[in-house]
């Protein structure tokens, strides 16, 4: 061996007694409690996993969008950042739809993306990522390809702290394959407090307005549940006898939906929101944008005589809100402070939301009958992860969620998230029954997540609501004067065969008479179980 080659080989190894980038990184991840890696392996990541530590777990997904969505559900279930490994530009590209959803979900993720060897980046090598830090933008809070191998552990530490800082979200570090064996100094773990407390004078204005209000109302968004503030919001609503609306398109349950003060779900339509809020003089928005619209509208954002106050931990949301006063604060801390402001007069209880009419079985299984039956049979403290857009309005009526952390859906509207997210949720919370409720169209975006569920032997129930088409697109098309859009009919899909082919038990039910017994079996299975439910179109 020539001296030149020998010296080059030595340069690729950590100094005697020192740590490599890989060793320093795994020590850091261990100190942060991030010992589960979600990934789909590729060549540029192999050096990261040399001598993979015995106390770490690798969770395999069969496609990168599935990998990232599983990590999303796991992170939400644990209230802690999850670690994702993606394969260079190709893997990040595959995961972009799920990355968009994680960003909208405000899920803390640390993504370590493989990159070709640093020694090859002067050209355009096979499987490299050009402008790796730019590729995932704008759907990451921060991304970086470190300038030196020695900077990799510190970059991952920074990515973690930024991911965990409100508003939480994904971050990405691109690491060239030959960085992992280079020497690096350990990165000491440290604590970064992320709680935000509002200025007293700002909250005093809100508290005084609430105390003097005659007919207050709250709008609650996903951040209430994310900040574990549901109990505090219930106490504040009861103190002021305020009606409570769920924010348009909210992805979490932030108020018990059978509570007498719960008013229902605001639609993503400006004029309809104004109509529903017309009787309230003070509106308090908690952890929700004002407002998320899905349909173009005109006119005012609020009724003319309604004053708006917003509590949010997201400065960007506060900045674009078009009306009212915004206060930056952690939701739970802000609501706790508002509990000190007593109402000036005793207010009567507002009208109670009427219960939906009981549905009797008919010839075929209707969405209403399905959700009514599931509400009766679902285990206590169970968790629903939903992605059945055509079923969601019916779920809002017939399948109420009663407690914090009982309901999750994708905040982005991008399909393919919830089936793998339910796998991650079941992995994070094995003591609770996780129920994925997904449409037939949605399920086909990420059906390979069933393989991961079977491989992990998770107690997961998957309910595929099969209406043989993209029903929500058909309904939405009517807003554009389109009777029947192209490309919305589905047929010939056999979800029982798809599930069994990946190692999951499965069954199908077609008639109302067999629904309850089929659901009982699916909800009691100790292993992944898919139930395909044929519903009326």
């Amino acid at each position: 061996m020539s001296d030149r080659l020998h010296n080059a080989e030595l340069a690729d190894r950590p100094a005697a007694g020192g740590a490599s980038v890989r060793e320093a990184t795994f020590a850091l991840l261990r100190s942060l409690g991030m010992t589960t890696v979600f990934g789909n392996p590729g060549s540029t990541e192999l050096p990261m996993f040399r001598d993979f530590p015995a106390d770490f777990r690798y969770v395999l997904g069969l496609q990168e969008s599935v990998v990232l969505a599983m990590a999303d559900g796991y992170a939400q279930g644990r209230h802690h950042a999850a670690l994702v490994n993606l394969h260079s530009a190709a893997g990040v590209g595959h995961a972009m739809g799920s990355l968009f959803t994680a960003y909208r979900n405000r899920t803390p993720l640390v993504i370590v993306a493989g990159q070709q060897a640093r020694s090859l980046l002067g050209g355009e090598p096979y499987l490299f990522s050009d402008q790796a830090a730019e590729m995932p933008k704008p759907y990451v809070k921060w991304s970086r390809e470190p300038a030196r191998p020695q900077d990799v552990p510190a970059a991952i530490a920074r990515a973690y702290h930024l991911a965990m800082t409100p508003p939480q979200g994904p971050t990405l570090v691109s690491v060239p394959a030959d960085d992992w064996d280079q020497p690096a100094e350990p990165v000491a773990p440290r604590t970064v407090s992320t709680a935000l407390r509002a200025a007293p004078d700002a909250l005093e204005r809100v508290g005084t307005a609430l105390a003097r209000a005659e007919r207050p109302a709250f709008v609650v968004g996903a951040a209430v549940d994310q900040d574990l503030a549901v109990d505090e919001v219930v106490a504040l609503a009861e103190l002021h006898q305020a009606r409570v609306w769920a924010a348009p398109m909210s992805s979490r349950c932030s108020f018990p939906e059978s509570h007498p003060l719960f008013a229902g779900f605001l639609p993503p339509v400006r004029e309809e929101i104004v109509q529903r809020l017309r009787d309230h003089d003070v509106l308090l928005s908690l952890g929700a944008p004002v407002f998320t619209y899905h349909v173009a509208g005109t006119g005012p954002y609020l009724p003319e005589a309604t004053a708006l106050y917003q509590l949010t931990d997201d400065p960007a949301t506060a900045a674009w809100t078009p009306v009212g006063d915004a206060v930056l604060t952690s939701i739970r801390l802000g609501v706790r402070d508002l509990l000190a402001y007593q109402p000036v007069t005793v207010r009567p209880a507002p009208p109670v939301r009427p219960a939906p009419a009981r549905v009797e079985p008919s010839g075929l299984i209707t969405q209403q009958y399905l959700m009514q039956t599931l509400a009766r049979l679902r285990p206590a403290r169970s968790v629903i992860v939903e992605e059945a857009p055509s079923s969601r309005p019916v779920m809002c009526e017939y399948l109420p969620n009663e407690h914090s952390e009982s309901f999750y859906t994708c905040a982005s509207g991008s399909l393919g998230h919830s089936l793998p997210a339910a796998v991650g949720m079941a992995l994070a919370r094995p003591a609770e029954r996780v129920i994925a409720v997904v449409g037939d169209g949605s399920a086909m975006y990420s059906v390979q997540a069933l393989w991961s569920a079977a491989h992990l032997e998770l107690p997961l129930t998957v309910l595929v609501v099969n209406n043989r088409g993209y029903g929500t697109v058909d309904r939405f098309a009517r807003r554009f004067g389109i009777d029947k859009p192209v490309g919305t009919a589905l047929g010939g899909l056999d979800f029982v065969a798809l599930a069994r082919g990946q190692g999951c038990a499965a069954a199908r039910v077609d008639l109302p008479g067999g629904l309850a017994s089929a659901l009982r079996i699916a909800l009691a299975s100790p292993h992944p179980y898919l139930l395909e439910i044929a519903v009326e179109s």
Side-chain angles (χ1 to χ4, degrees), residues 285-304:
S285 173
L286 298 168
V290 184
F291 290 103
T292 300
Y293 300 122
H294 188 32
V295 176
T298 58
Y301 295 99
L302 291 172
E304 184 178 354

Side-chain angles (χ1 to χ4, degrees), residues 407-428:
F407 175 81
Y408 299 82
T409 190
C410 54
S412 68
S414 175
L415 299 185
H417 163 267
S418 291
L419 179 53
V423 175
M425 184 68 68
L427 188 64

Side-chain angles (χ1 to χ4, degrees), residues 136-366:
K137 292 179 179 179
Y139 301 119
V140 289
K141 291 183 67 178
W142 181 79
S143 58
R144 185 67 53 88
E145 186 170 279
R148 306 180 306 155
Q150 292 76 16
D151 298 329
V152 168
I156 292 173
R158 182 178 178 182
Y160 167 79
H161 290 299
L162 285 170
M164 290 294 292
T165 301
Q168 295 179 342
T171 58
L172 181 142
V173 180
S174 171
V175 183
D178 51 357
D179 281 7
W180 294 105
D181 291 318
Q182 298 300 311
E185 294 294 325
V187 174
R190 58 195 182 93
T191 300
V192 177
S193 176
T194 59
L196 306 171
R197 197 151 213 156
D201 61 332
L203 273 180
E204 183 178 7
R205 291 193 295 273
V206 181
T208 300
L210 270 181
R212 296 175 178 173
E214 295 181 6
R215 299 174 307 280
F218 297 172
V219 175
V220 295
V224 170
D225 195 38
Q226 288 165 342
D227 206 23
L228 300 177
V230 172
D231 290 345
E232 286 82 356
V233 171
V234 170
L236 188 66
E238 291 174 346
L239 174 65
H240 291 282
Q241 287 296 296
R243 299 192 80 189
V244 180
W245 298 86
M249 315 301 290
S250 181
S251 60
R252 304 279 283 262
C253 171
S254 293
F255 198 84
E257 293 168 10
S258 293
H259 193 285
L261 291 174
F262 185 67
F265 301 82
L266 289 179
V269 183
R270 184 188 301 191
E271 296 88 344
E272 294 183 25
I273 291 173
V274 172
Q275 176 69 14
R276 281 165 172 75
L277 299 178
R278 68 187 184 280
D279 294 331
H280 301 293
D281 58 340
V282 171
L283 180 66
L284 177 61
S285 173
L286 298 168
V290 184
F291 290 103
T292 300
Y293 300 122
H294 188 32
V295 176
T298 58
Y301 295 99
L302 291 172
E304 184 178 354
T306 302
L308 170 70
Y309 299 89
Q310 179 186 44
L311 267 58
T312 179
D313 60 5
D314 186 348
T317 295
W320 69 251
T321 298
V323 293
D325 296 336
V327 178
L328 284 175
T329 178
S330 295
I331 305 304
R332 183 164 49 167
L333 294 179
V335 173
R336 284 179 178 176
D337 288 341
L338 288 178
L339 285 167
Y341 294 86
Q342 299 290 320
V344 172
T345 60
V346 177
R347 303 183 183 110
V352 176
R353 180 187 183 214
R358 178 172 174 78
V359 180
E360 298 300 331
S362 58
L364 299 174
I365 300 172
T366 63

Side-chain angles (χ1 to χ4, degrees), residues 95-141:
M96 282 296 290
S98 292
L99 180 62
F100 169 57
T101 294
Y103 182 79
R104 296 289 296 174
N105 285 352
R106 298 178 23 160
T107 302
L109 299 175
V110 176
I111 302 165
V112 177
Q115 172 65 295
Q116 258 294 6
R118 196 176 290 268
S119 59
L120 296 176
L121 293 180
E124 292 195 0
Y126 188 65
L127 284 177
F128 87 120
S129 181
D130 191 12
Q131 302 183 49
E134 299 300 314
M135 183 176 180
K137 292 179 179 179
Y139 301 119
V140 289
K141 291 183 67 178

